[in-house]
Amino acid sequence: MGIDHRMSRANAPTLEDVARLAGVSTASISRALNDPDKVAKPTRDKIEKAIDALGYTPNFGGRALASNRTNTVGAIIPTMANAMFASGVQAFQEVLSEAGVNLLLATTGYDPEQELRQIKALIAHGADGLMLIGDARPQTTRDFLDKRRIPHVISWCFQPEASPVHVGFDNRAAAYAAMQRVLALGHRRIAMICGVRAGNDRAGDRLDGVTAAIADFGQGAELIQVTEARYRLEFGGDAFEAIMSHTPRPTVIMCGNDVLAAGALKRARELGIDVPGTVSLVGFDDIGLASVVTPPLATVRVPQIEMGRAAARLLLARLGGQDGDGPVELHTEFMPRASLAPPAPDSP
Amino acid sequence: MGIDHRMSRANAPTLEDVARLAGVSTASISRALNDPDKVAKPTRDKIEKAIDALGYTPNFGGRALASNRTNTVGAIIPTMANAMFASGVQAFQEVLSEAGVNLLLATTGYDPEQELRQIKALIAHGADGLMLIGDARPQTTRDFLDKRRIPHVISWCFQPEASPVHVGFDNRAAAYAAMQRVLALGHRRIAMICGVRAGNDRAGDRLDGVTAAIADFGQGAELIQVTEARYRLEFGGDAFEAIMSHTPRPTVIMCGNDVLAAGALKRARELGIDVPGTVSLVGFDDIGLASVVTPPLATVRVPQIEMGRAAARLLLARLGGQDGDGPVELHTEFMPRASLAPPAPDSP
DNA sequence: ATGAGTTATGTAAGCGCTTACATCGAGTCG
DNA sequence: CGACTCGATGTAAGCGCTTACATAACTCAT
């Protein structure tokens, strides 16, 4: 390894090499690189030629040390296995990339301790700022972000009293609206397969929205069962099976996200339970999956791409010293599809 | 921004602060941090106490500059929209994380120029090494990797003559094997929806495998149509529709990946074409989607997680100055599922 | 006891870059 | 035409860390 270093160092031209070749000072080159307007055109040309001739690229460590910035930001998400985060992060990265900023990515598996560990790791690795998902995190973590004055944005959630670092949508309101649509179709016996709520405010908010909509609706509507399940196909299936093995059965099952709903749907097929004939299914997120399964899943469309982009823009603004125009609220849309139908007429 | 810097600097304790408080030299602290065995236990304890008291964390730039390492590696993948890459990258990142290495992530959208740009960006941002997907890249890019002696691994592909930087599976062989299985069922009129081959060796390899298997099989088997399509649901659907609107129709369509196959399946449903009654469909990759759609997709299982892990291990080994045990070949498995059945008896 | 060998610590020289400040020359204006 | 301004460039002092080398404090066989 020592050898490697020496070799790469030996190979790598430094600012001083460029300066010598171009016949200017290192300061001018630095300026030409970082703030071209400060350097006269002819000088800039000489410098450019020298840089090309040597194949010079600035040394990252030197730059970071002197300027105290890395032009790198971190994103910490629960998992990439969920297409929703994957596409959001992709959009996030694309916007950063256009601004010459790179992305450090880490995952937590929905574990708050893991999140703090990753926050520390990314900061130690030089991230200038962070993008985090959701609002549920221990005080320790909040304190760390505050004390270290770490520029960050929080995405995938939005509360009426959101702070300027938030960019997302109101999970509770979206779930409330979806539930209203379902109630309007005539459903009264409702079950929910909810994501694990510990350390995940979105899961809790979605349940709250469903609960509140049912309560506000009245007319005998009732949430007869709630099962928590980790966001994986098979757990969605297990939860579905558990719910359907109880009497009375619900006429509709609201699911914490599309993965759970797809798992439920798959299990329904395996059990010979007709969807939506026997029971309707509603998902959340509208990932690609939702429209490909049979029947297609009714769900809530979440603007994943736009959210990733908006998060990137807000974070870049904050890093640039501006406030950005946060908080940013994005809107969701209920997508009625064939997995949702009115309850069968013979169900009381 | 200037103010921000001054503030964060003022707040941030340096090695010297710790040294003063602990009553030792900065060198000892550096050693305690990077190579604890070199420091006696009592000294280490004093240092630890001082670090805790000050809340010290090493400054990234200083460390990178002095040691010429960042403990950061980059991964450049075509897209995160494909669950296959998403889960591979997740596994990659998890292994790195355990080794205290962080991940810089960038995407190319399958564009070779974009790949080179991202390689340069990640290197400029201090990546010690890179993980790249596939073997198809312009000479310019290869030259850059060579001249700069950038440690890297190449994943998602494997050729018999693979170099030690490869970790993946043989796309051609996997497609060949799948095609053999399909031929054994009795199919003779075959079509393929192939990924875009420009800048994507895996797409080409898969087509080659299919072609070769058909040629070797003989017995009147014929590849009657090949359509290239970008890896998106709707393009898979379009290709399916185009293929099925020609006569003679194939009895089976091999698809370049599961996304194309799922798109084809969706379109089949919309067109009222029975799968597998009228035409069988075979995918590739075995992403979660494949087993959730109706009918479930016959496909080729690719060890995404294990590939990500193996890539990480190999890259870490190479960064550590060892050769690692590359190349690493991983194995695929054909997954027969309901979207594949023998051809209808009335088809000639 | 003594010198060689070993281990623990300190000293100080950079790593490559940015940037405050100094300098210089060429306009501009009274 | 001299004082002054202003833009372009150079000078040089760090930024916080690692590490080669020097030094000090041991151990232990002789």
Side-chain angles (χ1 to χ4, degrees):
Chain A
M1 221 163 67
I3 289 174
D4 285 350
H5 289 174
R6 235 160 280 139
M7 296 185 67
S8 57
R9 291 229 172 143
N11 288 343
T14 72
L15 252 203
E16 214 167 317
D17 299 327
V18 181
R20 209 173 301 124
L21 182 59
V24 299
S25 72
T26 59
S28 291
I29 299 173
S30 178
R31 280 190 285 258
L33 253 31
N34 298 316
D35 203 350
D37 294 345
K38 284 189 176 169
V39 177
K41 184 76 167 53
T43 319
R44 223 159 48 204
D45 291 343
K46 274 191 301 188
I47 291 174
E48 208 161 302
K49 215 181 302 174
I51 286 179
D52 284 351
L54 294 172
Y56 168 80
T57 41
N59 174 67
F60 182 67
R63 187 180 275 226
L65 180 54
S67 69
N68 207 27
R69 276 178 301 115
T70 58
N71 285 317
T72 301
V73 306
I76 300 173
I77 62 174
T79 172
M80 272 188 285
N82 188 328
M84 185 185 48
F85 293 125
S87 57
V89 167
Q90 165 124 5
F92 183 73
Q93 185 262 126
E94 283 167 0
V95 172
L96 293 180
S97 189
E98 281 164 23
V101 171
N102 276 93
L103 173 67
L104 280 166
L105 185 66
T107 54
T108 66
Y110 291 98
D111 172 0
E113 286 188 24
Q114 187 65 9
E115 189 192 38
L116 181 53
R117 202 169 309 133
Q118 295 291 8
I119 290 174
K120 285 182 174 166
L122 297 196
I123 291 302
H125 282 260
D128 289 334
L130 295 178
M131 191 262 255
L132 304 173
I133 302 291
D135 236 343
R137 49 184 57 80
Q139 194 57 41
T140 337
T141 306
R142 295 169 193 278
D143 287 349
F144 183 83
L145 292 170
D146 284 356
K147 274 187 196 138
R148 299 291 289 272
R149 297 168 164 278
I150 296 169
H152 62 280
V153 299
I154 291 176
S155 193
W156 249 263
C157 64
F158 186 95
Q159 304 278 355
E161 70 280 11
S163 82
V165 302
H166 285 86
V167 38
F169 59 96
D170 187 332
N171 283 274
R172 187 180 182 284
Y176 188 100
M179 192 65 235
Q180 280 187 314
R181 297 284 292 265
V182 171
L183 289 163
L185 279 179
H187 289 280
R188 295 297 178 268
R189 283 202 316 277
I190 299 130
M192 180 157 186
I193 304 176
C194 175
V196 175
R197 281 173 292 168
N200 181 344
D201 53 319
R202 288 92 61 212
D205 289 347
R206 291 176 188 183
L207 175 58
D208 287 351
V210 164
T211 310
I214 293 172
D216 291 354
F217 185 81
Q219 301 183 36
E222 208 181 337
L223 184 60
I224 58 173
Q225 262 191 86
V226 175
T227 308
E228 272 198 6
R230 288 171 51 207
Y231 287 143
R232 297 199 28 200
L233 281 174
E234 58 266 45
F235 299 134
D238 293 347
F240 176 83
E241 194 166 344
I243 287 174
M244 293 305 282
S245 67
H246 279 66
T247 350
R249 284 176 161 186
T251 62
V252 61
I253 304 181
M254 309 296 291
C255 301
N257 72 9
D258 287 343
V259 174
L260 292 177
L265 185 55
K266 184 182 178 196
R267 188 66 60 91
R269 193 171 56 230
E270 289 161 9
L271 297 174
I273 297 177
D274 182 41
V275 174
T278 304
V279 64
S280 285
L281 243 30
V282 178
F284 205 117
D285 292 343
D286 198 19
I287 59 178
L289 190 60
S291 53
V292 173
V293 294
T294 316
L297 279 174
T299 187
V300 176
R301 203 186 79 78
V302 167
Q304 310 155 24
I305 309 269
E306 192 38 53
M307 195 151 43
R309 289 200 186 120
R313 284 192 296 261
L314 184 57
L315 184 52
L316 288 172
R318 298 185 75 82
L319 288 173
Q322 308 150 34
D323 264 358
D325 26 42
V328 179
E329 178 169 18
L330 296 165
H331 295 282
T332 58
E333 186 187 355
F334 185 72
M335 307 293 287
R337 296 208 190 99
S339 72
L340 172 65
D346 59 328
S347 51
Chain B
M1 218 161 71
I3 289 172
D4 286 351
H5 290 171
R6 232 159 283 138
M7 294 183 69
S8 56
R9 290 232 171 140
N11 289 343
T14 71
L15 252 202
E16 215 170 317
D17 298 328
V18 182
R20 208 173 304 124
L21 182 58
V24 300
S25 72
T26 60
S28 290
I29 298 171
S30 177
R31 280 189 286 257
L33 252 32
N34 299 315
D35 203 350
D37 293 344
K38 285 190 174 169
V39 177
K41 184 74 167 58
T43 319
R44 225 160 46 206
D45 290 345
K46 272 191 301 184
I47 291 175
E48 207 160 303
K49 215 180 302 173
I51 287 180
D52 284 352
L54 293 172
Y56 168 80
T57 41
N59 174 60
F60 181 68
R63 184 179 274 221
L65 180 55
S67 68
N68 207 26
R69 276 178 303 115
T70 59
N71 285 317
T72 301
V73 306
I76 301 174
I77 62 173
T79 173
M80 271 189 283
N82 188 328
M84 186 186 45
F85 292 124
S87 57
V89 167
Q90 165 125 4
F92 184 73
Q93 185 263 127
E94 284 166 1
V95 173
L96 293 179
S97 188
E98 281 164 21
V101 170
N102 274 94
L103 172 67
L104 279 165
L105 185 66
T107 55
T108 67
Y110 291 98
D111 172 359
E113 287 190 24
Q114 188 65 11
E115 190 193 38
L116 181 54
R117 202 169 309 133
Q118 296 291 8
I119 289 174
K120 286 183 172 166
L122 296 196
I123 292 302
H125 281 259
D128 289 335
L130 295 178
M131 191 262 255
L132 304 173
I133 301 292
D135 237 343
R137 49 183 58 80
Q139 195 57 43
T140 337
T141 306
R142 295 168 193 279
D143 288 349
F144 183 83
L145 291 170
D146 284 357
K147 278 190 194 134
R148 301 290 289 274
R149 296 169 166 277
I150 296 168
H152 62 281
V153 300
I154 292 177
S155 192
W156 249 263
C157 64
F158 187 94
Q159 304 279 353
E161 69 279 16
S163 82
V165 302
H166 286 85
V167 37
F169 59 96
D170 188 333
N171 284 275
R172 187 181 182 283
Y176 189 100
M179 191 65 237
Q180 280 187 315
R181 297 284 294 263
V182 171
L183 289 163
L185 279 180
H187 290 280
R188 295 298 178 267
R189 285 202 315 278
I190 299 129
M192 179 154 187
I193 304 175
C194 175
V196 175
R197 280 172 293 167
N200 181 344
D201 53 317
R202 286 93 61 213
D205 289 348
R206 291 176 189 185
L207 175 57
D208 288 353
V210 165
T211 311
I214 293 172
D216 292 354
F217 185 80
Q219 301 183 35
E222 206 181 338
L223 185 59
I224 58 173
Q225 262 192 85
V226 175
T227 307
E228 273 198 4
R230 289 172 51 208
Y231 286 143
R232 296 198 29 200
L233 280 173
E234 56 267 47
F235 299 135
D238 294 347
F240 176 83
E241 193 166 346
I243 287 174
M244 294 304 282
S245 67
H246 280 65
T247 353
R249 284 176 162 185
T251 61
V252 61
I253 303 180
M254 308 294 292
C255 300
N257 72 10
D258 288 342
V259 174
L260 291 177
L265 186 56
K266 184 181 178 196
R267 188 66 60 90
R269 193 170 57 230
E270 288 160 9
L271 297 173
I273 297 177
D274 182 42
V275 175
T278 303
V279 64
S280 286
L281 243 29
V282 178
F284 204 116
D285 291 344
D286 197 20
I287 58 178
L289 190 59
S291 53
V292 172
V293 294
T294 318
L297 280 173
T299 188
V300 176
R301 205 186 77 79
V302 166
Q304 311 155 25
I305 309 267
E306 191 39 51
M307 194 151 43
R309 288 200 187 120
R313 284 191 296 259
L314 183 57
L315 185 52
L316 288 172
R318 297 186 74 81
L319 288 173
Q322 308 151 34
D323 264 358
D325 28 38
V328 178
E329 180 169 16
L330 296 166
H331 294 281
T332 58
E333 184 187 357
F334 185 72
M335 307 294 287
R337 297 209 190 97
S339 72
L340 171 65
D346 58 329
S347 49

